[in-house]
Amino acid sequence: MNRKKLNINPFHDWKLGKDYEPIKLLGRGSYGAVCSAVHKPTGTKVAIKKMDGVFEDEIDCKRILREVNLLRKLRHPYVIEIFDMLEPEDKENFDSVYIVLRLSESDLKKVIKSAIHLQIKHIQTVVYNLLCALKYLHSANVIHRDLKPANVLINEDCTV
């Protein structure tokens, strides 16, 4: 049976507060899960990255802190930026962190696997945007270390 027939809410343990309405679970990874949502006050479509057990492993905790710190500082049209971070309900005792990012329409892995035929101009746009982003990151002394098609977020107009 699927979740809809069982009426199970996939967001029952997500603490998003009153400003965000979760829409759809987009995926799970090694650090947690990502859902699409709407920022209710502005109607902005966002992606919320929920990272669980952030204090269980010191190395993972440092990676998450480094990611948040970098995303707060980096400003480039082709590098994702933090829209918001959700404050925990209990600031003294929490183990999940929620990072809110602007929602991209897809990722390069999905585009490559789809039946969509990209014209040479589209491919050039994606590659140019990606190279510009990497040049910016490298100029800031940042190395991505997990660059793969699934981590290249892309919009309908082929912007990265």
Side-chain angles (χ1 to χ4, degrees), residues 32 56 59 70 84 88 97 101 107 125 132 152 156 158:
E56 290 174 6
I59 292 170
L70 282 170
D84 193 7
V97 171
L101 309 158
D107 64 59
T125 300
C132 287
V152 177
E156 194 174 346
C158 291

Side-chain angles (χ1 to χ4, degrees), residues 106-109 126 130 146-154 160:
S106 190
D107 64 59
L108 193 53
K109 181 180 179 182
V126 170
L130 188 54
D146 194 21
L147 190 58
K148 58 187 179 188
N151 288 342
V152 177
L153 304 176
I154 190 167
V160 172

Side-chain angles (χ1 to χ4, degrees), residues 30-32 51-68 97 145:
S30 56
Y31 287 109
M51 294 177 279
D52 292 317
V54 294
F55 303 114
E56 290 174 6
D57 182 86
E58 185 178 344
I59 292 170
D60 286 345
C61 186
K62 286 179 180 178
R63 282 186 186 136
I64 292 166
L65 182 60
R66 186 171 41 244
E67 177 184 354
V68 170
V97 171
R145 297 190 332 168

Side-chain angles (χ1 to χ4, degrees), residues 99-134:
I99 301 174
V100 184
L101 309 158
R102 295 211 184 271
L103 184 65
S104 293
E105 293 158 355
S106 190
D107 64 59
L108 193 53
K109 181 180 179 182
K110 289 176 187 166
V111 171
I112 290 168
K113 286 187 160 201
S114 75
I116 298 169
H117 177 72
L118 296 176
Q119 301 294 321
I120 191 70
K121 188 70 177 164
H122 299 128
I123 295 167
Q124 288 172 334
T125 300
V126 170
V127 171
Y128 178 76
N129 289 180
L130 188 54
L131 290 173
C132 287
L134 284 172

Side-chain angles (χ1 to χ4, degrees), residues 64-80:
I64 292 166
L65 182 60
R66 186 171 41 244
E67 177 184 354
V68 170
N69 191 38
L70 282 170
L71 289 175
R72 285 180 54 236
K73 292 177 180 176
L74 297 172
R75 294 283 179 263
H76 189 273
Y78 307 131
V79 175
I80 198 85

Side-chain angles (χ1 to χ4, degrees), residues 30-52:
S30 56
Y31 287 109
V34 178
C35 80
S36 61
V38 172
H39 180 243
K40 292 191 274 188
T42 62
T44 303
K45 293 178 182 178
V46 296
I48 302 177
K49 186 175 183 178
K50 177 187 181 197
M51 294 177 279
D52 292 317

